[in-house]
Amino acid sequence: VGCDRSKNLVDICGEKHFQAFVCDALSVPIRSGSCDACISIAVIHHFSTAERRLATLRELARLLRPGGTALIYVWAMEQEYKNQKSKYLKEKNGSKNKDQEMNTGTAQRPLSDQGPDNSSQDSAWSDQLLNDLKDESCGAKPVADFRLPVHTNRTSFHSQDLLVPWHLKSGTKKKEESVDTVLVPGGSKELQERSPVFHRYYHVFCEGELEAVCRSLDCVRVQKSYYDQGNWCVILEKL
């Protein structure tokens, strides 16, 4: 049985006759202790605070029966490990990716809100994020303010908390959607049309970080912790 936050992805599963439903990883509508195994791939790194990431792992453990296992994958800060580049970095070559990098290159600045003032809720979230970062530096550049850096695709990470550009494929946008523009490199004032770009939040994990969070839960034990193609991975067993 699969679940995802995206209704569109769940609908695709339904079209392929797979069992899937929409839910939030912080509150999965499945009875406690009813799963032999759970898989969480590329989910937990999208939660913006240490507390929420821990709560997601606790919820995952709740679903498991005693002796049940869980496999967890999160994006790694270390995209080059033991002198080996990850597939993510290796795929930098190629005209398609070079075009993407040109498009995102003009956005490599901290992304701030468009409004003149931030709400108190945003400010509180920013303070919490900064507190988290103090404990999770792992050699990354310190964050001077609330603004998150925008990552350049297919390059190494310079911050644990960042926004990653998501390029909407041309031809998939609705006619009524506006198309944004980008300044052509080289200082030209000419504006060039491009497909819409959205920004997804990521917290990339340092070596040992995911394992340490898992070990803070007294209801599971870490069976295995390893690195796999730019991801930190853990296998848990429910006690």
Side-chain angles (χ1 to χ4, degrees):
V1 178
C3 58
D4 199 279
R5 188 66 180 82
S6 166
K7 179 181 181 301
N8 289 342
L9 291 178
V10 169
D11 287 344
I12 292 172
C13 291
E15 292 167 3
K16 296 179 179 292
H17 306 292
F18 295 124
Q19 295 184 73
F21 59 91
V22 175
C23 81
D24 188 320
L26 290 168
S27 181
V28 181
I30 292 179
R31 189 174 65 251
S32 298
S34 61
C35 298
D36 294 313
C38 294
I39 300 173
S40 174
I41 305 294
V43 173
I44 295 174
H45 56 216
H46 288 299
F47 286 94
S48 60
T49 66
E51 289 79 9
R52 288 166 65 80
R53 294 188 286 272
L54 177 61
T56 309
L57 289 168
R58 185 178 289 112
E59 178 70 354
L60 191 67
R62 179 189 68 80
L63 304 175
L64 292 171
R65 65 164 176 79
T69 55
L71 172 64
I72 302 163
Y73 266 60
V74 295
W75 216 352
M77 178 84 174
E78 301 85 354
Q79 288 298 306
E80 188 166 344
Y81 187 68
K82 293 183 177 179
N83 297 322
Q84 293 288 327
K85 289 186 177 181
S86 68
K87 185 178 178 183
Y88 176 72
L89 293 183
K90 287 179 180 177
E91 288 181 351
K92 182 177 180 180
N93 296 326
S95 58
K96 180 179 178 181
N97 289 319
K98 286 180 181 177
D99 289 340
Q100 284 189 346
E101 286 169 15
M102 182 183 74
N103 285 342
T104 59
T106 57
Q108 300 317 301
R109 63 189 185 284
L111 201 72
S112 58
D113 292 342
Q114 297 300 315
D117 297 304
N118 296 315
S119 68
S120 58
Q121 183 178 359
D122 287 341
S123 179
W125 181 90
S126 303
D127 292 342
Q128 180 61 54
L129 179 58
L130 287 175
N131 289 332
D132 293 340
L133 289 174
K134 290 177 183 177
D135 299 327
E136 302 172 351
S137 60
C138 88
K141 292 181 179 179
V143 177
D145 55 32
F146 73 93
R147 295 173 295 178
L148 292 174
V150 179
H151 177 62
T152 301
N153 289 335
R154 308 295 173 184
T155 65
S156 298
F157 296 115
H158 301 293
S159 172
Q160 273 195 276
D161 293 86
L162 41 81
L163 299 173
V164 177
W166 178 274
H167 296 259
L168 192 67
K169 293 180 180 178
S170 57
T172 59
K173 60 182 181 296
K174 297 177 182 178
K175 289 182 179 178
E176 60 270 19
E177 285 189 71
S178 61
V179 179
D180 61 358
T181 56
V182 61
L183 192 64
V184 175
S188 169
K189 292 183 179 180
E190 178 187 355
L191 291 176
Q192 174 183 323
E193 219 176 49
R194 67 171 181 177
S195 298
V197 178
F198 299 94
H199 294 87
R200 305 177 73 192
Y201 170 84
Y202 281 80
H203 171 84
V204 291
F205 282 69
C206 292
E207 182 173 8
E209 183 181 349
L210 176 61
E211 184 176 351
V213 177
C214 292
R215 291 190 187 281
S216 70
L217 296 174
D218 57 9
C219 58
V220 298
R221 74 177 182 91
V222 176
Q223 277 190 346
K224 187 178 181 181
S225 178
Y226 60 97
Y227 180 89
D228 180 24
Q229 283 296 334
N231 300 279
W232 287 113
C233 321
V234 163
I235 298 177
L236 299 178
E237 180 184 0
K238 178 72 171 288
L239 299 177

